[in-house]
Amino acid sequence: MSIANPPDDYVPVFEFLNRLSIPITLHLELTPQIVELLPGDLVQVLAYKTDETLPIHIELGDGYVQIHPYRSWGNWYVYKNGEDVSGTPYRTPCAEPFTFK
């Protein structure tokens, strides 16, 4: 399944199909955003191409998948089964990298 009209200036960074027999959650860090994935659900995640999202760190645990951006706040667009389920507060890219103190 492909995204019909991907948003401008965003690139695909992650695609995951829940092949388990149980629901799991997708955690998009620093936004934060959580998406429940039922068995058979496909999720596609896009990131703003000019910020410092990449490379990403992906962690798979019991009942969850977690994605951490590299040095940005996580400007994610999320499509679940081809439908945009992105959180509306995260529509405007924030290209300023965060810094560690």
Side-chain angles (χ1 to χ4, degrees):
M1 181 178 299
S2 63
I3 300 167
N5 295 307
D8 292 337
D9 298 325
Y10 280 77
V11 294
V13 293
F14 178 76
E15 183 172 296
F16 181 80
L17 174 63
N18 182 6
R19 294 177 190 240
L20 301 173
S21 60
I22 59 170
I24 62 173
T25 54
L26 169 66
H27 298 264
L28 297 166
E29 294 304 321
L30 298 180
T31 306
Q33 190 173 359
I34 297 174
V35 178
E36 182 181 31
L37 301 175
L38 299 175
D41 280 349
L42 172 69
V43 68
Q44 297 164 299
V45 178
L46 293 84
Y48 190 59
K49 69 180 178 182
T50 62
D51 71 7
E52 297 187 43
T53 300
L54 300 176
I56 58 175
H57 171 79
I58 301 172
E59 179 181 333
L60 177 62
D62 291 334
Y64 70 91
V65 174
Q66 194 168 29
I67 301 177
H68 294 271
Y70 174 58
R71 287 191 59 220
S72 80
W73 293 104
N75 300 308
W76 312 113
Y77 260 79
V78 183
Y79 290 83
K80 179 177 162 183
N81 300 324
E83 181 180 329
D84 185 354
V85 295
S86 306
T88 53
Y90 316 115
R91 294 289 189 197
T92 303
C94 176
E96 295 294 320
F98 62 81
T99 56
F100 294 103
K101 293 185 181 191

